[in-house]
Amino acid sequence: MLFRSVTNSYYGKKNFYHIILDNACYGSCSEEKTLSSEKIALTAYLQGYNNVFFINKKKNLEEILSQNNEGSTFIQIKINLGGRRDFKRPLNLEFIQKRFREYFNGD
């Protein structure tokens, strides 16, 4: 997630937003708690983002996006755990691979 953050923060222009949706768990596995959640915004700050926000309300997001933020902006949004877990996984992986390659090869 943050491997490119130094580059993002350095080259980020006025309208560059890096947004993380954080449920503090491995949602795709067994919803095990993560420890890194508390350090994500701090890490972004240390990597040079001009503006760093940690929010947990939609209203806060609307306020941040309406501001005239200079430089790169990092937003960590705390979201609730849960939700649907019955999404179907792609079944035809060969077709998806072919479509992906064709797209990037210009076919």
Side-chain angles (χ1 to χ4, degrees):
M1 185 247 1
L2 294 174
F3 294 119
R4 294 188 177 99
S5 293
V6 173
T7 302
N8 292 343
S9 64
Y10 182 79
Y11 289 107
K13 302 298 181 198
K14 178 180 172 184
N15 64 347
F16 181 81
Y17 290 88
H18 188 160
I19 299 175
I20 300 294
L21 302 176
D22 178 22
N23 67 0
C25 287
Y26 296 107
S28 64
C29 297
S30 59
E31 298 182 351
E32 299 169 33
K33 300 280 185 198
T34 61
L35 300 175
S36 64
S37 180
E38 301 167 3
K39 309 282 189 220
I40 294 173
L42 173 62
T43 303
Y45 170 77
L46 294 173
Q47 291 184 347
Y49 279 84
N50 297 90
N51 311 287
V52 177
F53 301 96
F54 179 84
I55 62 174
N56 59 5
K57 292 184 171 65
K58 181 180 177 182
K59 177 182 168 189
N60 299 124
L61 178 61
E62 292 168 349
E63 290 172 5
I64 292 167
L65 295 177
S66 68
Q67 294 175 5
N68 188 13
N69 293 311
E70 292 295 324
S72 55
T73 300
F74 182 93
I75 305 171
Q76 180 181 353
I77 304 173
K78 178 71 174 144
I79 61 173
N80 294 328
L81 182 62
R84 289 183 54 191
R85 308 230 357 123
D86 61 343
F87 293 107
K88 293 182 180 179
R89 301 288 186 204
L91 299 178
N92 191 342
L93 297 178
E94 289 177 8
F95 172 75
I96 293 170
Q97 177 187 21
K98 180 179 182 284
R99 186 178 63 190
F100 181 82
R101 287 180 185 219
E102 287 174 354
Y103 176 82
F104 281 102
N105 289 332
D107 296 343

